[in-house]
């Protein structure tokens, strides 16, 4: 069948806002040209993130009513724990309110000042949590195009042989910062071997474990026909444990977890959990959240659902390419990434092409995307010199799970075509106010042209 379609029908709907161009331009000015700072009721199609923005199934909504809100040992926790252990094989399951809480707790048990965490790429909050401990986050992305999420094994070997104080290796599946590309089973195994040789624990940042598993089924001939759930299990089995934001592949609006083999490490994590997140059987979540997550974790490995995720991302990438945008290929599942520097060659990287493009798209059609370029990943010079640009200047069109139909995405592609047609007139951006860390969330910017973003 040439046409894929959403493998669900819609039972509950929510209106979306339509604004005039003048209203959108006013929103941009008022927000300091930072789309995080624009209220959602001023966004027409929101592709800012696939995190916590998914639509729950009827089964998840009904699971909410079964939530057991007991402080300790709730039935909801036991259900969550059972589903997670069956999926991952890890017996120690610790719920947290979202991924970054898992990162903070796990890393503070594994790392100390001047230790090193190595990853295919630390996501922004992951890096921030490593650095907050005084440790160093080292990214070693690989180069394989089919498995663009792989970690550079030769570079890891070198680092370990040089005697770096590596406290953990973290494989981010899929690798969000490098285009949502999967990590291959072979790469995970090779990393495991090196970790074993040097006595370093290996963890997964498993936020998009199901999408990674599906992409392995598609791209690795040895896994054609294997169920995504089985592949996911195999990935989990390679590592010592995982931390995860369940706002992605848990298909719920909030939640996260740490899941481990090691009882002692789990006990340390629980001690820290209780100080800031909550008791060990709820970790900052309501009982009903745990029920929705348990159900979501069962649904997310469904083959038809994952095929729809991958097919819609591919189709949307083709539409954006037809619209004149340089898209990154192959596409993953959770987003389509566009090379903003290539579309806007008249801007230097310090002029933040990804942010400039994001603002132009919002002005055009009320479409919200996210900047994964220098504003997000660039290194700020503590001595006030120019920023060290990010390796790539990407704009991400994230795809919330089960939320937007092909029509919504066609509208986005039309807005993108209008923006691409006037690419050379899009002005660069300048930061006028920024915090010390994670500046993309709150900084204020202005266009380098008095004519605005046009
Ligand atoms: N790890 C990865 C790979 C992520 O993509 C994210 C969040 C986190 C950890 C942190 O999880 O938000 O639950 O605390 N990514 C979101 C995004 C925010 O838009 O990609 P969290």
């Amino acid at each position: 069948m040439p046409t894929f379609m959403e493998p669900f029908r819609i039972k509950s709907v929510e209106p979306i806002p339509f604004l005039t161009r003048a209203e959108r331009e006013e929103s941009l000015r008022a927000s300091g040209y930072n789309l995080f700072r624009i209220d959602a009721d001023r966004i027409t199609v929101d592709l800012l993130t696939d995190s916590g923005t998914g639509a729950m199934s009827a089964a998840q909504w009904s699971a909410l009513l079964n939530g057991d809100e007991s402080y300790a040992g709730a039935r909801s926790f036991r259900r969550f724990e059972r589903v997670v252990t069956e999926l991952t094989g890890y017996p120690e399951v610790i719920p947290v309110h979202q991924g970054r809480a898992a990162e903070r707790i796990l890393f503070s048990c594994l790392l100390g000042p001047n230790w090193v965490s190595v990853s295919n790429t630390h996501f922004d909050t992951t890096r921030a949590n490593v650095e907050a401990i005084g440790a160093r986050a080292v990214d070693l992305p690989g180069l394989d195009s089919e498995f663009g999420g792989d970690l550079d094994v030769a570079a890891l070997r070198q680092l370990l042989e040089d005697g770096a104080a590596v406290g953990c290796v973290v494989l981010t599946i899929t690798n969000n910062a490098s285009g949502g590309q999967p990590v291959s089973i072979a790469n995970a195994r090779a990393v495991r071997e090196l970790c074993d040789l040097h006595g370093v624990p290996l963890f997964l940042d498993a936020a998009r474990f199901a999408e990674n598993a599906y992409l392995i089924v598609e791209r690795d001939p040895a896994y054609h026909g294997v169920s995504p759930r089985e592949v996911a299990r195999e990935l989990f089995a390679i590592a010592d444990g995982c931390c995860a934001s369940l706002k992605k592949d848990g298909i719920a609006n909030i939640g996260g977890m740490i899941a481990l083999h090691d009882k002692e490490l789990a006990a340390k994590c629980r001690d820290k959990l209780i100080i800031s997140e909550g008791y060990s059987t709820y970790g900052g979540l309501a009982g009903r959240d745990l029920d929705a997550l348990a159900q979501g974790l069962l649904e997310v490995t469904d083959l038809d659902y994952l095929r729809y995720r991958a097919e819609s991302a591919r189709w949307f990438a083709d539409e954006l390419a037809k619209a004149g945008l340089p898209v990154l290929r192959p596409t993953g599942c959770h987003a389509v990434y566009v090379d903003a520097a290539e579309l806007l060659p008249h801007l230097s990287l310090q002029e933040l092409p990804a942010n400039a493009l994001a603002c132009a798209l919002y002005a055009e059609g009320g479409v919200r995307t996210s900047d994964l370029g220098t504003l997000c990943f660039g290194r700020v010079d503590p001595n006030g010199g120019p920023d060290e640009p990010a390796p790539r200047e990407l704009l991400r069109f994230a795809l919330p799970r089960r939320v937007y139909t092909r029509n919504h995405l066609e509208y986005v592609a039309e807005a993108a075509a209008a923006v691409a047609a006037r690419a050379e007139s899009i002005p660069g951006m300048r930061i006028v106010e920024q915090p010390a860390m994670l500046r993309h969330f709150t900084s204020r910017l202005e266009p380098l042209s008095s004519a605005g973003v046009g």
Side-chain angles (χ1 to χ4, degrees):
M1 291 280 285
T3 302
F4 78 91
M5 64 177 177
E6 290 80 4
F8 49 80
R9 51 186 180 165
I10 296 163
K11 191 164 198 150
S12 177
V13 298
E14 187 181 12
I16 57 177
F18 293 95
L19 284 81
T20 64
R21 190 179 189 100
E23 286 169 332
R24 294 192 293 264
E25 283 176 2
E26 179 45 37
S27 294
L28 279 174
R29 270 190 296 277
S31 71
Y33 295 86
N34 181 342
L35 302 189
F36 276 105
R37 300 174 68 115
I38 298 184
D39 281 352
D41 64 4
R42 300 183 77 80
I43 307 287
T44 300
V45 179
D46 202 347
L47 307 185
L48 181 70
T49 178
D50 64 319
S51 181
T53 52
M56 291 207 293
S57 64
Q60 283 178 293
W61 282 107
S62 69
L64 292 182
L65 278 180
N66 269 319
D68 173 357
E69 305 303 341
S70 306
Y71 189 94
R75 193 175 60 234
S76 299
F77 172 69
R78 293 297 168 213
R79 181 177 180 215
F80 175 76
E81 183 183 47
R82 195 167 55 245
V83 168
V84 170
T85 300
E86 277 170 16
L87 168 70
T88 62
Y90 305 136
E92 304 292 332
V93 178
I94 300 167
V96 293
H97 81 279
Q98 65 181 89
R100 62 201 72 182
E103 292 158 7
R104 182 179 57 78
I105 291 169
L106 184 64
F107 293 145
S108 66
C109 295
L110 294 169
L111 303 168
N114 304 320
W115 284 67
V116 176
S117 167
V118 183
S119 178
N120 46 348
T121 310
H122 295 84
F123 193 62
D124 59 358
T125 57
T126 324
R127 168 174 289 277
N129 274 302
V130 170
E131 290 175 352
I133 295 165
R136 206 153 54 87
V138 174
D139 290 339
L140 301 177
L143 291 171
D144 185 311
S145 65
E146 282 274 282
F147 288 98
D150 282 356
L151 187 146
D152 183 339
V153 174
L156 175 63
R157 180 177 299 115
Q158 192 64 52
L159 194 75
L160 290 165
E161 284 174 1
D162 288 350
V166 179
C168 62
V169 174
V170 180
L171 278 177
T172 308
I173 59 170
T174 58
N175 193 353
N176 190 3
S178 73
Q181 293 302 309
V183 173
S184 65
I185 293 272
N187 188 253
R189 286 201 199 290
V191 170
R192 169 88 255 177
E193 225 170 88
L194 276 176
C195 285
D196 284 346
L197 206 60
H198 293 269
V200 175
L202 171 63
F203 295 93
L204 302 177
D205 174 344
R208 299 180 181 85
F209 72 92
E211 294 178 353
N212 199 106
Y214 179 77
L215 293 171
I216 288 173
V217 172
E218 266 197 354
R219 294 182 195 177
D220 184 342
Y223 288 86
H224 289 345
V226 181
S227 79
R229 184 157 281 256
E230 252 173 79
V231 178
R233 250 190 228 120
E234 204 169 319
L235 270 170
F236 285 118
I238 294 169
D240 294 297
C242 70
C243 57
S245 167
L246 296 179
K247 299 172 68 172
K248 286 85 169 170
D249 276 352
I251 330 186
N253 305 116
I254 195 74
M257 67 173 176
I258 300 169
L260 306 163
H261 280 301
D262 184 340
K263 262 191 166 35
E264 250 174 69
L265 177 58
K268 276 195 210 160
C269 289
R270 287 193 183 98
D271 288 346
K272 292 185 190 277
L273 182 86
I274 291 173
I275 297 172
S276 62
E277 288 276 301
Y279 186 63
S280 56
T281 60
Y282 74 89
L285 294 168
R288 56 180 170 273
D289 297 329
L290 292 167
D291 274 289
L293 285 167
Q295 179 61 32
L297 287 171
L298 294 176
E299 292 174 11
V300 74
T301 47
D302 178 73
L303 188 60
D304 288 334
Y305 161 77
L306 286 168
R307 189 180 293 136
Y308 138 78
R309 287 288 285 166
E311 295 277 347
S312 35
R314 257 195 299 270
W315 170 85
F316 183 45
D318 288 344
E319 293 300 300
L320 290 180
K322 279 188 229 157
L325 297 181
V327 299
L328 249 60
R329 308 219 197 226
T331 47
C333 290
H334 82 289
V336 174
Y337 292 68
V338 165
D339 188 331
E342 194 181 326
L343 183 69
L344 308 175
H346 59 290
L347 301 184
S348 75
L349 299 180
Q350 275 83 9
E351 291 171 333
L352 308 171
N355 180 262
L357 182 57
C359 289
L361 255 171
Y362 175 77
E364 187 64 44
V367 175
R368 177 154 67 174
T369 50
S370 67
D371 169 338
L372 294 182
T374 298
L375 183 62
C376 183
F377 294 113
R379 309 294 287 166
V380 180
D381 180 352
N383 305 317
D387 291 355
E388 186 190 318
R392 286 205 270 193
E393 196 62 30
L394 300 180
L395 186 71
R396 185 183 71 172
F397 295 69
L399 301 170
R401 291 168 181 74
R402 309 188 291 206
V403 171
Y404 292 117
T405 64
R406 230 162 114 150
N407 275 34
H408 292 110
L409 298 181
E410 269 172 16
Y411 167 90
V412 174
E414 281 166 18
V419 167
R422 58 177 171 80
E424 70 283 355
S425 67
I426 295 174
M429 292 289 182
R430 189 174 77 86
I431 298 172
V432 290
E433 201 184 297
Q434 62 178 314
M437 277 183 115
L438 296 174
R439 64 179 180 181
H440 54 293
F441 288 125
T442 54
S443 55
R444 300 184 80 89
L445 302 96
E446 66 183 17
L448 293 165
S449 147
S450 53
V453 297

